[in-house]
Amino acid sequence: AQSVTQPDIHITVSEGASLELRCNYSYGATPYLFWYVQSPGQGLQLLLKYFSGDTLVQGIKGFEAEFKRSQSSFNLRKPSVHWSDAAEYFCAVGAFSGGYQKVTFGTGTKLQVIP
Amino acid sequence: GAVVSQHPSWVICKSGTSVKIECRSLDFQATTMFWYRQFPKQSLMLMATSNEGSKATYEQGVEKDKFLINHASLTLSTLTVTSAHPEDSSFYICSARLAGYTGELFFGEGSRLTVL
């Protein structure tokens, strides 16, 4: 079964600074990988996804992520953080299990942005 | 992008009553919908996978008789929390996958259930 680890529960960065959120996955084959963002009390919005091809994926709101098979990682990056980026970020892996695709989420990383 | 709508956003009920939460895909057909439960400051836990026209597949540890899931059409899935108790209070989120499309899920806004 697949699993996702987000080692950082809480990260604080200054506005304008760069950001990297870590994500490691465990799956026997090439997974489908996602990053979602959740604002308080709301559902999830997809930032970006990786299925195949170019391992550097561009997403919305200036985010990007790089798939590194050798490290089983899919870290999320942004060169310059804005105050509006403060939210919770979830990494997820999709894999086929029991005949259908199941998406498993990491525990999330809460991002705080300070002026 | 595709839109998934949940209703109600907030619901408060008395212990012992049943509550129904609807999940609709507004501009696409979803053969598969997923129901998640999110505890405060925690990740999303998959409860069940709902396939249109067939019985839902529940994750281990989720009570089928407690959380009734119906996927009557390609645009609607419902979650009914039967005989709700305070420990059922949580944030429930549904998601839908585009028919014939691999991987990407679109999420509803979530439904906050409080059982008194």
Side-chain angles (χ1 to χ4, degrees):
Chain A
Q2 68 270 28
S3 66
V4 182
T5 301
Q6 292 180 249
D8 304 306
I9 297 172
H10 193 184
I11 283 184
T12 301
V13 299
S14 299
E15 190 169 14
S18 63
L19 170 71
E20 181 168 30
L21 302 182
R22 295 184 291 165
C23 172
N24 292 95
Y25 69 90
S26 173
Y27 183 58
T30 301
Y32 300 104
L33 295 163
F34 311 87
W35 274 100
Y36 287 88
V37 60
Q38 184 182 32
S39 297
Q42 296 194 15
L44 279 73
Q45 181 183 23
L46 179 69
L47 288 175
L48 47 78
K49 59 184 182 288
Y50 171 79
F51 289 164
S52 64
D54 193 346
T55 56
L56 185 61
V57 180
Q58 301 298 321
I60 62 172
K61 304 184 179 184
F63 285 94
E64 67 176 27
E66 186 171 11
F67 170 60
K68 293 186 177 180
R69 184 189 301 276
S70 61
Q71 299 177 21
S72 297
S73 69
F74 189 57
N75 295 347
L76 181 72
R77 300 193 294 251
K78 186 169 184 178
S80 178
V81 170
H82 189 261
W83 65 267
S84 61
D85 294 324
E88 187 137 24
Y89 292 80
F90 293 94
C91 181
V93 58
F96 282 94
S97 173
Y100 60 91
Q101 189 183 85
K102 184 187 298 188
V103 177
T104 302
F105 287 84
T107 49
T109 298
K110 189 167 186 178
L111 173 65
Q112 182 180 10
V113 180
I114 56 178
Chain B
V3 179
V4 175
S5 178
Q6 268 184 256
H7 178 80
S9 301
W10 288 83
V11 57
I12 300 174
C13 69
K14 292 182 179 180
S15 186
T17 61
S18 294
V19 175
K20 181 185 286 187
I21 301 170
E22 294 186 345
C23 177
R24 294 183 184 272
S25 55
L26 297 185
D27 51 0
F28 68 100
Q29 293 183 330
T31 54
T32 305
M33 289 184 173
F34 303 86
W35 286 95
Y36 292 85
R37 182 173 179 177
Q38 186 177 30
F39 293 97
K41 300 182 180 180
Q42 294 189 28
S43 186
L44 286 75
M45 289 177 46
L46 180 63
M47 298 174 65
T49 301
S50 168
N51 292 294
E52 186 267 336
S54 63
K55 290 184 178 180
T57 302
Y58 290 81
E59 295 299 303
Q60 193 171 12
V62 177
E63 298 176 61
K64 301 178 182 181
D65 297 330
K66 175 80 172 169
F67 300 99
L68 300 180
I69 292 172
N70 182 276
H71 195 153
S73 75
L74 286 171
T75 59
L76 174 64
S77 176
T78 60
L79 167 68
T80 301
V81 183
T82 62
S83 186
H85 291 282
E87 58 266 28
D88 299 324
S89 298
S90 192
F91 194 56
Y92 293 89
I93 304 177
C94 75
S95 67
R97 183 164 62 84
L98 286 169
Y101 187 88
T102 302
E104 182 169 355
L105 298 178
F106 298 94
F107 284 83
E109 312 92 329
S111 299
R112 169 87 48 203
L113 170 63
T114 301
V115 184
L116 302 176

